[in-house]
Amino acid sequence: MQAFLYIELTTHITYRKPLPEQVKQQLPEVAVLDIDAESDELIQHYALRLLRESDQAVVCIKADATAPGLGKAMALLEELFEEKAGRLVLLLGEHSRLQRMFQARPHVQLRQVGEEEVLEEVKRFLGEF
């Protein structure tokens, strides 16, 4: 199974998220889930399960320096820190704490990208052209 998980860690959380919608449209066989730092435990559980059960997963984290903290997303981050092949983390924006956390784990594939690059990175990583 291939998965795309979108995590929004910003101060201005929006209901409509264009990136997950674009992935759903262009890659309908990919399981897509979007969450934010304050998503309830059930959604967090589904996100963890999606990460654990997928053979390949792209996790796109939208963050900004003004975000107060990582909230309930820490459990997901801990799962990402585990050494497992087939995962790519895309970071949208600047978040120094997150960047330091990922830099301390060189086994994690991390790319800092702009919004316009996300879809192409997802397609490339998941083998779609």
Side-chain angles (χ1 to χ4, degrees):
M1 173 176 57
Q2 294 179 318
F4 177 77
L5 178 60
Y6 182 81
I7 305 171
E8 191 164 352
L9 302 175
T10 62
T11 52
H12 302 341
I13 296 171
T14 60
Y15 179 74
R16 186 176 174 279
K17 298 173 176 74
L19 282 173
E21 291 173 12
Q22 289 173 357
V23 172
K24 280 181 191 177
Q25 286 177 343
Q26 294 197 20
L27 303 168
E29 69 283 358
V30 174
V32 176
L33 182 63
D34 67 90
I35 66 169
D36 58 56
E38 298 306 317
S39 291
D40 65 27
E41 287 182 31
L42 182 61
I43 300 295
Q44 296 282 337
H45 170 76
Y46 284 134
L48 274 171
R49 187 171 169 193
L50 184 68
L51 277 177
R52 290 176 180 156
E53 292 180 5
S54 61
D55 300 314
Q56 288 183 296
V58 176
V59 178
C60 182
I61 303 172
K62 183 174 183 178
D64 62 34
T66 62
L70 301 175
K72 298 175 186 174
M74 198 59 207
L76 288 171
L77 294 174
E78 288 173 1
E79 178 67 25
L80 288 174
F81 298 152
E82 296 293 321
E83 201 159 338
K84 182 179 177 185
R87 290 183 178 169
L88 171 65
V89 178
L90 301 175
L91 181 59
L92 287 169
E94 297 286 329
H95 194 286
S96 59
R97 182 175 173 207
L98 262 180
Q99 290 168 297
R100 285 192 310 274
M101 291 167 79
F102 281 110
Q103 287 169 350
R105 292 156 177 92
H107 62 275
V108 177
Q109 286 190 59
L110 174 69
R111 293 191 188 123
Q112 194 158 7
V113 295
E115 275 197 50
E116 67 283 351
E117 300 170 282
V118 172
L119 194 56
E120 194 56 43
E121 290 288 340
V122 172
K123 288 179 180 180
R124 186 177 305 122
F125 186 77
L126 298 179
E128 299 287 332
F129 293 104

